[in-house]
Amino acid sequence: MLEKTLGIVLYTIAYNDKNHIAHLYTEKYGRTAYALPQSQGKKSKMQRPLFFPFSILDIESDHKAQRDIQRIKEVRPAEILQRIHFDPVKNSIALFLSEFLSRAIHEPEANPNFFKFLYQSIKLLDVIEDGKANFHLCFLIQLSGFLGFYPNIENYHPGDCFDLLNGTTSSSIPGHPYTLSPEETVIFTKLMRMNYYNLHLFHFSRDERMQILNHIVTYFKLHHAGFTQPKSLEILKTLFD
């Protein structure tokens, strides 16, 4: 039986001589893998360019729950993104975040609220200009909330440290190394006031932005079992040099 769903491309990888595998986060099924034929037929040639990271697609497939890799019947763009794949900053952010998601999201179950968040985030990234260098920082903090470990700074007072291991501020230095200094914590609390509507109001130096990003990656490693550092992190660091 053919099923239709919206899907957001995370990444594509070679599987064998005949197929690549495209990993998508879909509206109906959560994370799903699809076979992407590499034949020289007209249909295959037309499909392959659609599968850039963060592309939003309408997928029609012969979906079977017991099958690890689904078969695409038809695919077309659901949104025509104007800038993400052509703006070098936005493209690098999209590559980084799609890889980050591929390492953080594994569940093959639907999560409509998260799909809506991801869909709307990509559409915003496509059009935003002011504050786009902060977009990925804001996105990752919001992602931590969907995964269940949103940082708690409700009781923050000047001079406190942020305890990465326990996800909260502390007036004393915890007995483990995963702690931000009071100076680093000031920068981190600025991040927690950020949202998609005020990105342009926050100004970080290159070093501060990279420092924040490194702390966020460490935070995910501590709270999300099996999470590993994205390889594209170094590309993002180079971009903002």
Side-chain angles (χ1 to χ4, degrees), residues 86-104:
F86 306 101
D87 180 310
V89 173
K90 293 182 179 184
N91 188 50
S92 295
I93 290 173
L95 290 172
F96 170 71
L97 291 180
S98 61
E99 183 189 359
F100 201 105
L101 286 170
S102 72
R103 293 170 184 262

Side-chain angles (χ1 to χ4, degrees), residues 10-195:
L10 301 180
Y11 72 100
T12 302
I13 190 170
Y15 182 65
N16 54 34
D17 292 341
K18 294 183 178 180
N19 291 288
H20 284 193
I21 303 299
H23 291 261
L24 281 73
Y25 190 82
T26 68
E27 184 176 29
K28 280 189 177 181
Y29 314 111
R31 180 165 171 166
T32 307
Y34 292 93
L36 190 59
Q38 297 300 295
S39 71
Q40 296 305 308
K42 181 178 179 181
K43 186 175 181 179
S44 294
K45 287 183 177 181
M46 291 178 63
Q47 286 183 354
R48 288 198 290 270
L50 300 178
F51 287 81
F52 287 109
F54 269 15
S55 292
I56 304 172
L57 305 176
D58 271 316
I59 301 282
E60 185 175 3
S61 68
D62 177 21
H63 191 94
K64 291 183 170 57
Q66 70 277 15
R67 182 189 289 159
D68 291 333
I69 302 174
Q70 304 298 332
R71 299 170 183 168
I72 294 174
K73 178 67 174 178
E74 298 288 344
V75 60
R76 63 189 66 85
E79 293 282 347
I80 304 298
L81 302 176
Q82 302 292 335
R83 300 181 181 91
I84 285 181
H85 300 135
F86 306 101
D87 180 310
V89 173
K90 293 182 179 184
N91 188 50
S92 295
I93 290 173
L95 290 172
F96 170 71
L97 291 180
S98 61
E99 183 189 359
F100 201 105
L101 286 170
S102 72
R103 293 170 184 262
I105 304 293
H106 302 288
E107 296 78 10
E109 291 89 25
N111 184 332
N113 288 333
F114 177 68
F115 184 86
K116 182 179 179 181
F117 161 75
L118 183 54
Y119 191 110
Q120 293 178 341
S121 296
I122 293 170
K123 289 181 66 176
L124 176 64
L125 177 60
D126 192 50
V127 300
I128 194 173
E129 288 301 330
D130 291 342
K132 66 183 177 182
N134 291 327
F135 179 90
H136 57 298
L137 303 177
C138 186
F139 179 96
L140 293 177
I141 291 297
Q142 297 303 314
L143 175 61
S144 73
F146 283 100
L147 296 176
F149 47 88
Y150 190 80
N152 180 3
I153 62 165
E154 289 182 2
N155 298 317
Y156 170 74
H157 295 93
D160 285 356
C161 302
F162 186 77
D163 181 342
L164 290 168
L165 187 60
N166 292 295
T168 189
T169 55
S170 174
S171 59
S172 59
I173 300 176
H176 58 75
Y178 303 110
T179 306
L180 305 190
S181 69
E183 294 76 18
E184 291 172 323
T185 301
V186 169
I187 299 172
F188 193 77
T189 57
K190 283 177 62 179
L191 172 66
M192 301 301 296
R193 300 196 300 271
M194 189 186 294
N195 59 55

Side-chain angles (χ1 to χ4, degrees), residues 168-235:
T168 189
T169 55
S170 174
S171 59
S172 59
I173 300 176
H176 58 75
Y178 303 110
T179 306
L180 305 190
S181 69
E183 294 76 18
E184 291 172 323
T185 301
V186 169
I187 299 172
F188 193 77
T189 57
K190 283 177 62 179
L191 172 66
M192 301 301 296
R193 300 196 300 271
M194 189 186 294
N195 59 55
Y196 284 161
Y197 302 100
N198 65 12
L199 292 176
H200 62 288
L201 300 177
F202 291 82
H203 302 284
F204 300 106
S205 69
R206 182 190 65 84
D207 289 342
E208 286 174 338
R209 190 173 284 111
M210 288 299 98
Q211 183 184 85
I212 292 169
L213 186 55
N214 285 330
H215 292 325
I216 292 174
V217 170
T218 299
Y219 190 64
F220 271 78
K221 287 179 180 178
L222 291 171
H223 292 272
H224 195 50
F227 181 81
T228 56
Q229 181 168 305
K231 296 178 180 178
S232 54
L233 178 62
E234 294 305 316
I235 297 174

